[in-house]
Amino acid sequence: MNTKAGILGVGSYVPKKVMTNFDLEKIMDTSDEWIRTRTGINERRLVDENEATSDLATKAAIKAIENANLTPEDIDLIIVATITPDMVFPSTACLVQANINATKAAGFDLEAACSGFIYGITIAKQFIETKTYKHVLVIGAEALSTILDYEDRSTAILFGDGAGAVVMGPVEDGGVLSTNLGSDGNGKDYLKVPAGGSKLPASEKTVKDRLHYIQMAGSDVFKFAVRIMQDASVKCIESANLSIQDVDYLIPHQANIRIIEASAKRLNLSMDKVYVNLDRYGNMSAASIPVALDEAYREGKIKKGDNVVLVGFGGGLTWGASLVRWSI
C-alpha cells in the first residue's frame, strides 16, 4: 500500500510587539487610510531586541508537535523556510533542533522567499512517501522587520514578523494530493535584498547605500502575483483530478488584499472560502501561509475531509501551490 503524506499538527506564533499604521504615521510620510486602502493592512507584529527568527520558529514548532500528539523525539527532519535566518550558518533549523531537543532530527533551511513553506511541504511529502522519514517538521519563520528600510514607505508598511509550523507524516485518508512549484529568475530584481551575499559582501559602502534592506518593484510584483496565484492553483487542482468546485477553502499568501481578492475572483471563489489575516500581521513571507493555516484550522474553518489549496509567490521569482485534503 502506498504511503500518503499529510498534515498531523499545526502551530503558530507571532511576537507581542504591535506596530500599527498610526505608529508608522509618526516616523514616515504615510497615513492609516493610505496603507489600508492600498494593502488591507492595519497592523503588524515585530520582534523585540531579544528575539530572532529561531525563537519564533521554536515556539511555533512546539505548538505543532503538541497538536500532533507527538514529542520532539518523534521528529526525523526539520525544514525551516526563511529569508531572515539568525545567521548565514549554522542553519536556523539546527538552532530549532537544539531548542526543542529533537535528538533524532536532521535539519536544513530552504530559501524560496514567500513561497518557501510550499516548497517545504513538497519536500517533506517526498521524504515521507518514500519512507525515508516518518515525521517531518516544516516551519515558515521570518523576522522581516530586521531588513526593512523605514525610509522607504513602499516596503516598510508591508511586512511583519511571525512563524507557523506543521508536522507532516503518513495518513490513511487525504493528505497532500498535489503540488505545483515554479521559478523565474528573470524577475530577480523585482524583490530582493541586494547586499550581504557573495556578490556584494557587507562593507561600509553597502551599509551606507542601504543595500541590506528589502527592495521591491511593487507594480511588477502585483501583476505577476495575480496571474501566478491563479495559474499555480489551477494546475495544482487539475493534477489532483479535481475542479475548482471541489475546493472547500483557499489559504493564500498574505501580501496584499487586492491581490487576494483578484485571485479569488479569477478562481471564481467567494471570499468566505478565503482566509485573510494580513490586516493583523501584514506580509510575513514564508510564515504567512502556515500562520493563516493554523488560525483557519483553530477557528473551525477547515474540517477533516476538506480540500484546501495553499498558494504563494515571492522573490526569485518563485511560486508554489499545494492541494491538501485535510486529515485532522
Side-chain angles (χ1 to χ4, degrees):
M1 186 169 132
N2 293 333
T3 299
K4 283 287 185 183
I7 292 172
L8 308 179
V10 289
S12 64
Y13 175 79
V14 293
K16 293 183 175 61
K17 183 179 179 182
V18 177
M19 177 173 276
T20 67
N21 294 344
F22 296 106
D23 294 327
L24 288 170
E25 284 181 351
K26 299 171 187 174
I27 60 174
M28 65 178 65
D29 180 20
T30 192
S31 70
D32 171 63
E33 181 189 19
W34 192 91
I35 297 170
R36 277 189 298 103
T37 55
R38 285 161 179 79
T39 70
I41 301 168
N42 296 325
E43 61 186 40
R44 65 288 291 150
R45 300 298 182 96
L46 308 183
V47 292
D48 63 31
E49 63 275 10
N50 298 313
E51 285 181 309
T53 297
S54 64
D55 299 311
L56 309 182
T58 297
K59 290 175 180 176
I62 290 169
K63 290 182 179 181
I65 292 168
E66 288 176 349
N67 184 241
N69 294 315
L70 297 172
T71 68
E73 289 76 21
D74 295 315
I75 302 301
D76 301 305
L77 174 66
I78 301 170
I79 303 172
V80 176
T82 185
I83 55 171
T84 53
D86 286 29
M87 57 198 85
V88 174
F89 67 90
S91 70
T92 304
C94 284
L95 304 180
V96 173
Q97 183 270 341
N99 288 346
I100 66 175
N101 198 30
T103 55
K104 299 176 184 175
F108 64 87
D109 290 358
L110 70 83
E111 200 273 81
C114 307
S115 312
F117 179 73
I118 305 295
Y119 275 65
I121 63 174
T122 302
I123 293 167
K125 170 181 163 69
Q126 316 310 315
F127 277 123
I128 294 161
E129 294 186 353
T130 57
K131 300 185 179 179
T132 305
Y133 295 121
K134 186 175 182 181
H135 297 126
V136 181
L137 176 63
V138 182
I139 308 168
E142 303 286 12
L144 292 161
S145 62
T146 61
I147 56 170
L148 288 182
D149 184 355
Y150 284 97
E151 293 183 10
D152 177 10
R153 73 171 185 173
S154 67
T155 57
I157 64 171
L158 299 175
F159 297 96
D161 305 337
V166 298
V167 176
M168 293 182 61
V171 294
E172 292 183 6
D173 299 310
V176 179
L177 303 185
S178 62
T179 60
N180 177 265
L181 303 178
S183 66
D184 180 6
N186 292 311
K188 62 186 181 298
D189 292 324
Y190 291 173
L191 189 53
K192 64 182 180 179
V193 174
S198 61
K199 185 173 183 178
L200 284 175
S203 67
E204 185 177 348
K205 185 178 189 316
T206 62
V207 173
K208 182 181 177 183
D209 292 344
R210 310 184 78 77
L211 298 180
H212 295 268
Y213 296 123
I214 293 175
Q215 296 180 0
M216 182 173 71
S219 61
D220 292 313
V221 172
F222 186 97
K223 286 181 283 189
F224 157 74
V226 171
R227 174 180 59 81
I228 210 65
M229 292 265 275
Q230 180 197 24
D231 291 351
S233 298
V234 168
K235 287 177 181 176
C236 196
I237 294 164
E238 289 177 347
S239 65
N241 295 315
L242 296 175
S243 68
I244 289 177
Q245 288 72 33
D246 295 314
V247 174
D248 296 296
Y249 215 74
L250 176 70
I251 308 283
H253 172 48
Q254 307 285 312
N256 182 302
I257 191 63
R258 292 179 175 180
I259 293 173
I260 293 173
E261 289 175 344
S263 300
K265 186 175 181 180
R266 291 182 70 158
L267 288 167
N268 200 28
L269 280 176
S270 63
M271 285 300 292
D272 62 356
K273 286 189 169 187
V274 181
Y275 195 79
V276 178
N277 65 5
L278 89 160
D279 55 317
R280 292 178 282 126
Y281 304 132
N283 181 344
M284 295 186 289
S285 186
S288 172
I289 292 173
V291 171
L293 181 65
D294 179 47
E295 291 191 344
Y297 170 65
R298 293 180 189 282
E299 291 171 18
K301 296 182 184 297
I302 300 173
K303 299 174 290 296
K304 188 171 183 178
D306 282 354
N307 292 319
V308 183
V309 172
L310 316 175
V311 61
F313 62 92
L317 296 165
T318 63
W319 60 89
S322 184
L323 178 57
V324 180
R325 183 161 292 156
W326 204 247
S327 49
I328 55 176

